[in-house]
Amino acid sequence: MAKDITPRATDYSRWYTDVVLRSTLADYSPVKGCMVIRPHGYSLWENMQRILDGMFKETGHENAYFPLFIPKSFLAKEAEHIEGFAKECAIITHTRLKATDQEGRDRVIPDPDSRLEEELIVRPTSETIIYSMFSKWIKSWRDLPLLLNQWANIVRWEMRTRLFLRTTEFLWQEGHTAHATHDEAREETLRMLEVYRRFAEEYLAVPVLTGVKTPREKFAGALDTYCIEALMQDGKALQAGTSHDLGQNFAKAFDVRFQNSEGQWEHVWNTSWGVSTRLIGALVMSHSDDDGLVLPPRVAPIQAVIVPIWRNDEQREQTLEAGRKLLAELRAAGIAARLDERDNVNPGFKYADWELKGVPLRLELGPRDLDKGQVMAVRRTDRSKTPFSLDGAAEAVVGALDEIQQQLFQQALDRRAAMTREVETWDEFCEEIEKGGFLRARFCEEDAVEEAIQTETKATVRLIAFDEVDDPGPCVKSGKPARRRAYFARAY
């Protein structure tokens, strides 16, 4: 089976696109900049969604849904917000089309009589529409905290798109909460960031840094933005999730107030936080190889595939019968397993097909295996082979999947450690940034200096880590006093 995947060393960008397309995660849409998420990719997203949704509900959040369309005037109520999203918004101006005929050609144009009195914005994010509703629902301190989450689609008109990483329309979740005090809101912001960190590391096997964004990189309208940052195999960073302390900016814009226990009126304190289908792109770039997709077992749609092998009808019936019995045992043990019963392709094709799709464990079952009372387990990560006894195979598979999960995380963690370096001078910074990875450098935290670094090197401040200790010295770019280091990288 020809996989037609460009090697990473030849063209990493092309490799990534090849893996996404050939592994049937997604495909290009007829609408420029959009994608179609195929069943394999959507099953992966459903698994991620299910896990995250459970984590959100464990922390007291409830799901709700808000309109896709937002009155244009709502965005203008928060100055930073409209400035941050103005260039990405799609606008609806009419509600009907009209067929005309000009110069012998049929044409369809907006019906002039259907022009909206107020134009609508297609949701780029939902703070404005949600907080307008909060102003109706919140009246007393007894109504707080209000903890909501929404699973939705988002539209941001991107100039340069890439499957999963940056598309005009994408899927995400966005949490929105209201609190009586700033301390409570800040605690919520950090709590949800920790949920994202746990999910990235424990389920996606992607190690992340946690910290705060600079004012220049924060969310439009937030007091502070906190993030998780991952490092891809090519040495570029990827912002994998954000959590925003919105302060009272949106509460004041939409008059979201509550009467406290002493009878006084106050504005609430808001937070918002979200992750998107960009996480699928992070998975691909963190773990996959030149043979296709590599998926961590805890989110893989298919964790183990049984491939029966036969040369004649008698062997076919024997191996299929044994395969079905094994399949039932695996599923009873909570393993997402599948039996490949296709008889129109040879075993080699099946092996390559499931490798391409990233299935963590392949279980080969042929006549010789049956004679020995075993099944041959082949790991996707390193293709190592281990015979498992058919008696107790489910327990062995569970153990192997746990080992694969830990192996993927450790590989990514070791890679990040090897690609993280401290630099002291500007010349050293400019030289090292060409090698990729994270650079830890002292930074004076001035906007103009940050902009100059990005202009000259295309590197940005990814975050100032929570565990960063005071390390005074000259800023790597300006030479001005700096009290701590920041993480810099080129990024997606």
Side-chain angles (χ1 to χ4, degrees), residues 267-434:
H267 286 100
V268 302
W269 299 82
N270 292 118
T271 80
S272 67
W273 28 273
V275 295
S276 74
T277 39
R278 164 178 274 223
L279 288 177
I280 295 179
L283 271 188
V284 174
M285 291 196 294
S286 292
H287 304 308
S288 301
D289 59 24
D290 291 349
D291 289 313
L293 193 61
V294 176
L295 292 176
R298 290 181 186 170
V299 294
I302 304 170
Q303 296 172 310
V305 61
I306 304 166
V307 181
I309 304 166
W310 63 79
R311 292 187 178 180
N312 54 52
D313 290 344
E314 182 181 358
Q315 291 179 350
R316 180 180 185 276
E317 291 307 313
Q318 289 176 340
T319 56
L320 282 177
E321 181 181 355
R324 289 169 187 145
K325 181 180 178 183
L326 177 58
L327 178 67
E329 292 174 358
L330 295 179
R331 288 180 172 175
I335 300 164
R338 181 173 296 185
L339 175 65
D340 190 340
E341 298 191 43
R342 290 177 291 179
D343 58 7
N344 57 344
V345 291
N346 61 42
F349 182 96
K350 295 178 182 181
Y351 298 164
D353 189 30
W354 294 116
E355 284 184 358
L356 182 60
K357 289 181 168 63
V359 175
L361 197 64
R362 184 173 74 242
L363 302 174
E364 301 173 2
L365 187 61
R368 292 181 182 177
D369 297 304
L370 290 179
D371 290 341
K372 296 178 181 179
Q374 68 178 32
V375 62
M376 186 63 69
V378 184
R379 300 187 183 207
R380 174 63 181 88
T381 47
D382 56 14
R383 293 182 181 79
S384 61
K385 296 186 176 184
T386 307
F388 291 164
S389 171
L390 284 172
D391 183 16
E395 184 179 352
V397 168
V398 169
L401 293 174
D402 285 342
E403 290 174 2
I404 292 169
Q405 183 80 26
Q406 295 306 316
Q407 179 187 7
L408 287 173
F409 179 75
Q410 192 61 49
Q411 286 176 348
L413 188 64
D414 291 345
R415 182 172 60 245
R416 188 185 73 182
M419 300 180 75
T420 301
R421 305 174 300 282
E422 285 192 6
V423 295
E424 308 297 335
T425 69
W426 181 241
D427 287 344
E428 189 181 6
F429 186 104
C430 293
E431 179 181 349
E432 291 295 320
I433 200 66
E434 296 299 326

Side-chain angles (χ1 to χ4, degrees), residues 31-63:
V31 181
K32 186 177 180 181
C34 294
M35 65 177 172
V36 174
I37 304 177
R38 299 183 66 177
H40 191 45
Y42 200 77
S43 294
L44 177 58
W45 175 243
E46 285 180 317
N47 283 350
M48 296 162 68
Q49 184 183 42
R50 173 181 50 79
I51 295 164
L52 277 169
D53 198 62
M55 297 173 82
F56 298 156
K57 287 172 180 172
E58 285 177 1
T59 49
H61 300 83
E62 297 180 293
N63 286 334

